[in-house]
Amino acid sequence: MLNKQLNKSLRSLFALLVLIMGLGLGSVMSTSPVHASDQQSSQQQAKAQTSEADLWRAVKAGDAGYTTAKGVETGVLINVAGNQGKELRNQYLTPIMALAVVGVFGAFLLFYLVNGPSKLSKGFSGKLVARWSKADLWIHWIMASSCLTLMFTGLTIMLGKHVVQPMLGPDLWAPLIYGSKTIHDWAGPIFIAAWAVCVVKWMPLQTFKMYDLKWFLVVGGYINFGPFKGKHPDSGFANAGEKMWFWTLMLFGLFISVSGIMLVLPGLDLPREASMGALLIHSISAIILIAFTIVHIWMATVLSEGGMECMKSGYCDENWAIQHHNLWYDEIKANGNLKYKD
């Protein structure tokens, strides 16, 4: 009797265990696909997020991707060198250019107001000596007019959005900047041609001599007070200041011409790094040439009594030649090349 009850109890317990195991196995079988699906979905999302992050890191780093488009750097969405160059130009070169224009002009205006012009110690003689040929005058004024055109349009392009655009508004600013860019592009070749002729024709006259050092030491005789007053240093056909201006124009005129050609000709199909490098060189050269041009204009006009006549008629007053270019005057007088205007 006891054995029967024990067997019955064991069978009941076994049946209960089988039932529990069946229910557990069914639960596992029913939930495991869902769990596996959720886990797989989470992994795919994580992988997608990681892939997207890697993609944009590569894009921001300037890495090239794949594209069917043909050309230079077509696979690059963000050019790092281009962005860095733009920041350098906007944050540093643009303020420096503004400082160069306002600072140099203001410094010479102050100098003029304090010092006054360099007057002829013996006044005008009334006799005009031949100094420049008609060809020289044409070269000078073609280069000067194209240079000034490039200066004003270039300043509009580089500084206009900070100074002019807020005052004009978009309706007037749009045609102004478009016109400035167009005129700038067409004035460039004229300047390059005149610059090349100028360099070839005037270079023999621009060799530095030992006496040019004294010209710098006494500031060319332009100071009308203190120990420098009345000091007129020796000078040949070109004084030391004019020589420095010529070599500056020669060197940075070359830089600005080559870089300008690189920027204006789309057919060159240059890499972005080369284009940005050309733009930065163009901007730096422009800053230097604009500063020297302002100095040149001040020195040749209001600061030098009788100086402007040279580039108006090609003749200079005899006393002006003796005071500012005595060695050249003595040379042409000695070799019989001294010619007076009729």
Side-chain angles (χ1 to χ4, degrees):
M1 184 69 179
L2 181 60
N3 289 334
K4 289 181 178 180
Q5 290 180 349
L6 181 60
N7 290 335
K8 186 178 180 179
S9 298
L10 289 173
R11 283 195 300 268
S12 300
L13 181 60
F14 180 75
L16 181 61
L17 289 173
V18 171
L19 179 61
I20 293 173
M21 291 177 63
L23 291 174
L25 182 61
S27 176
V28 170
M29 293 296 290
S30 63
T31 58
S32 60
V34 176
H35 177 72
S37 177
D38 291 343
Q39 186 176 9
Q40 184 180 7
S41 177
S42 299
Q43 291 175 350
Q44 290 176 346
Q45 290 178 359
K47 185 177 180 181
Q49 291 175 355
T50 303
S51 299
E52 185 175 351
D54 291 339
L55 170 63
W56 285 109
R57 273 194 292 268
V59 168
K60 292 178 180 179
D63 294 348
Y66 173 76
T67 177
T68 57
K70 304 297 181 182
V72 179
E73 297 180 330
T74 52
V76 178
L77 294 180
I78 298 178
N79 188 283
V80 177
N83 286 341
Q84 291 174 344
K86 182 178 66 176
E87 291 176 2
L88 178 63
R89 181 174 181 265
N90 292 338
Q91 294 181 11
Y92 298 100
L93 296 184
T94 298
I96 291 174
M97 176 170 283
L99 181 62
V101 174
V102 177
V104 175
F105 186 89
F108 272 85
L109 176 61
L110 179 62
F111 178 79
Y112 174 76
L113 295 176
V114 173
N115 181 81
S118 174
K119 291 185 174 295
L120 297 177
S121 56
K122 296 182 179 180
F124 289 98
S125 67
K127 294 186 286 186
L128 296 178
V129 177
R131 178 167 170 80
W132 296 100
S133 67
K134 293 295 182 181
D136 291 322
L137 295 181
W138 274 103
I139 294 170
H140 174 269
W141 287 113
I142 290 175
M143 183 169 63
S145 57
S146 60
C147 181
L148 290 174
T149 301
L150 291 169
M151 279 178 54
F152 286 115
T153 54
L155 288 171
T156 302
I157 293 169
M158 199 160 181
L159 302 178
K161 64 181 179 181
H162 303 289
V163 180
V164 181
Q165 184 180 7
M167 296 186 295
L168 296 182
D171 293 337
L172 293 177
W173 169 250
L176 175 62
I177 190 64
Y178 176 79
S180 297
K181 177 63 169 63
T182 303
I183 294 172
H184 196 85
D185 291 347
W186 285 102
I190 300 174
F191 170 80
I192 293 173
W195 168 84
V197 176
C198 157
V199 168
V200 173
K201 195 173 190 301
W202 295 345
M203 186 180 291
L205 303 172
Q206 310 301 322
T207 305
F208 280 102
K209 306 292 184 180
M210 287 302 299
Y211 53 74
D212 289 323
L213 179 61
K214 185 178 179 181
W215 192 96
F216 286 115
L217 294 176
V218 299
V219 200
Y222 283 88
I223 296 186
N224 296 327
F225 56 85
F228 296 110
K229 185 176 181 179
K231 301 287 185 179
H232 299 295
D234 291 337
S235 179
F237 182 87
N239 61 42
E242 291 168 336
K243 292 175 182 179
M244 185 170 66
W245 161 234
F246 174 85
W247 290 109
T248 301
L249 177 64
M250 191 278 292
L251 179 61
F252 290 98
L254 176 63
F255 290 160
I256 208 168
S257 298
V258 174
S259 59
I261 292 172
M262 292 173 64
L263 294 170
V264 82
L265 295 181
L268 294 178
D269 203 15
L270 298 171
R272 183 65 177 172
E273 288 81 359
S275 298
M276 182 52 67
L279 181 62
L280 295 177
I281 292 173
H282 200 76
S283 301
I284 294 171
S285 301
I287 292 171
I288 295 171
L289 288 177
I290 288 173
F292 270 85
T293 299
I294 295 173
V295 173
H296 176 69
I297 292 173
W298 272 102
M299 299 286 284
T301 55
V302 296
L303 289 181
S304 177
E305 186 180 37
M308 189 61 186
E309 181 63 32
C310 297
M311 280 303 169
K312 288 170 58 180
S313 65
Y315 291 86
C316 64
D317 188 88
E318 188 171 34
N319 285 346
W320 184 91
I322 295 172
Q323 180 170 311
H324 292 287
H325 299 273
N326 60 315
L327 298 180
W328 165 72
Y329 176 81
D330 293 340
E331 180 183 353
I332 61 174
K333 186 176 182 180
N335 60 26
N337 291 327
L338 179 62
K339 297 179 181 179
Y340 293 99
K341 186 176 182 179
D342 297 332

